[in-house]
């Protein structure tokens, strides 16, 4: 018997489509997983190397330099200029925090964790691990009594949904009515493409225009995996309500959840350098500018996707049928079935493939039309 009553890992079901796509004479174009393919910037790699004399245990709370860098980054990049080091904490990647947050908050059977209807599956997994009940609901008016933790994801994975300041403020008001913690998963916030997000910063749940002057009950989760190509470093952070951050720190000390000291040093350097982030965004933009029109030419409709790392596409048929059609072109995507019952006719295509492979995918899609 399994220790945890969890379903099989969903990506195992993609294996046959990968096999078929790999048989294409010009090779596989893997757009299924959002794992960075570009090099980690040299400035960050040097910082990691400088800190390899890590003979002592790292600090769970983060080094003073790292915490100050997180505070400064929120002020400079997210418009949140009222944080102190008591409001921030490094984590071992963001997936770890998403999966463990219900447990670390003390949720148990009978408690409810709300997450988006089209969502990264780890929100529900974290609820199940804690013994709580996951509930999918997007509209704050539909968030139920008994909710103890509410996840919003802006920009969303997989659909790129991005919340405005007004929408975030309404979400904060509703969460406080319910007495729930509101956690904003904001890992793609540097990747705005269309609409207002082509020129405006994507707002945080901690934005002073959102909070009403109080961070009570609010958390923002962020990752350096995408903007800095640090997925292999497991470098992320959480910020917000000082009381909750303090409680998380205590629990994490007991559990030994300590980001390695060299990674902490590298994170501080990464958070202080905006140039490499702009370069990385330009690489994603070039891939997106090729892939989006090619998909549309091939008969797909792109929904949402105004921000984030993915194109959320449908051709009005079951996602597994679209997966099969794309595999015939040597293209591997992610099926919408993985992201909830509301997205079974969509596929997710990542911008994390080398430009040459994205050019191949675009050419194949265009030729199909």
């Amino acid at each position: 018997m399994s220790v945890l009553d969890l379903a099989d890992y969903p990506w195992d079901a993609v294996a046959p489509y990968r096999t078929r796509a790999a048989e294409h004479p010009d090779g596989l174009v893997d757009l299924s997983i959002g794992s960075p393919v570009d090099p980690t910037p040299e400035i960050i790699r040097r910082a990691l190397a400088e800190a390899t004399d890590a003979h002592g245990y790292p600090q769970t709370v983060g080094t003073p330099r790292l915490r100050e860098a997180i505070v400064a980054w929120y002020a400079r990049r997210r418009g949140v200029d009222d944080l102190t080091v008591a409001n921030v904490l490094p984590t071992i990647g963001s997936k770890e925090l998403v999966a463990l947050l219900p447990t670390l908050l003390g949720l148990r059977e009978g408690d409810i964790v709300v997450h988006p209807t089209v969502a990264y599956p780890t929100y529900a997994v974290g609820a199940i691990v804690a013994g709580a009940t996951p509930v999918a609901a997007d509209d704050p008016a539909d968030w139920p009594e008994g909710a103890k933790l509410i996840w919003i994801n802006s920009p969303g994975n997989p659909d790129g949904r991005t919340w405005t300041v007004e929408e975030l403020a309404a979400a904060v008001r509703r969460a406080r009515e319910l007495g729930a913690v509101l956690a904003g998963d904001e890992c793609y916030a540097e990747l705005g493409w269309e609409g207002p997000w082509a020129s405006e910063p994507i707002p945080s749940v901690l934005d002073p225009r959102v909070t009403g002057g109080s961070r009570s009950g609010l958390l923002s989760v962020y990752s350096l995996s995408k903007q800095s190509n640090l997925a292999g470093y497991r470098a992320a952070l959480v910020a917000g309500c000082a009381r909750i951050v303090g409680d998380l720190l205590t629990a994490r000390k007991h559990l030994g959840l300590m980001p390695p000291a060299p990674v902490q040093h590298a994170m501080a350097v990464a958070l202080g350098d905006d140039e490499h982030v702009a370069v990385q965004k330009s690489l994603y933009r070039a891939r997106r500018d090729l892939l989006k029109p090619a998909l549309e030419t091939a008969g797909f409709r792109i929904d949402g996707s105004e921000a984030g790392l993915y194109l959320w596409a449908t051709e009005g048929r079951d996602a597994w049928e679209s997966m099969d059609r794309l595999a015939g072109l040597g293209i591997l995507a992610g099926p919408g079935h993985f992201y909830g019952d509301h997205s079974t006719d969509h596929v997710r295509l990542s911008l994390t493939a080398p430009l040459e492979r994205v050019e191949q995918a675009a050419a194949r899609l265009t030729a199909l039309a």
Side-chain angles (χ1 to χ4, degrees), residues 83-113:
L83 298 180
T84 72
V85 293
N87 300 115
V88 302
L89 194 62
T91 67
I92 311 168
S94 60
K95 184 171 184 176
E96 167 254 295
L97 183 68
V98 171
L100 288 181
L101 187 58
T103 298
L104 297 179
L105 292 175
L107 271 60
R108 55 184 61 85
E109 186 175 354
D111 293 333
I112 293 173
V113 175

Side-chain angles (χ1 to χ4, degrees), residues 16 23 39 43 46 49 77 94 99 135 175 325 341:
E23 293 170 351
I43 187 175
R46 285 200 306 269
R77 302 300 301 176
S94 60
V135 172
R325 181 184 182 212
D341 295 336

Side-chain angles (χ1 to χ4, degrees), residues 203-228:
S204 170
V205 73
L206 301 181
D207 189 306
R209 296 171 296 171
V210 170
T211 64
S214 170
R215 287 181 297 273
S216 178
L218 305 179
L219 294 175
S220 163
V221 179
Y222 200 77
S223 167
L224 302 188
S225 292
K226 309 307 188 292
Q227 74 172 43
S228 302

Side-chain angles (χ1 to χ4, degrees), residues 245-257:
V245 169
D247 290 344
L248 293 177
L249 173 59
T250 298
R252 295 174 71 82
K253 284 180 177 178
H254 282 293
L255 295 172
L257 297 173

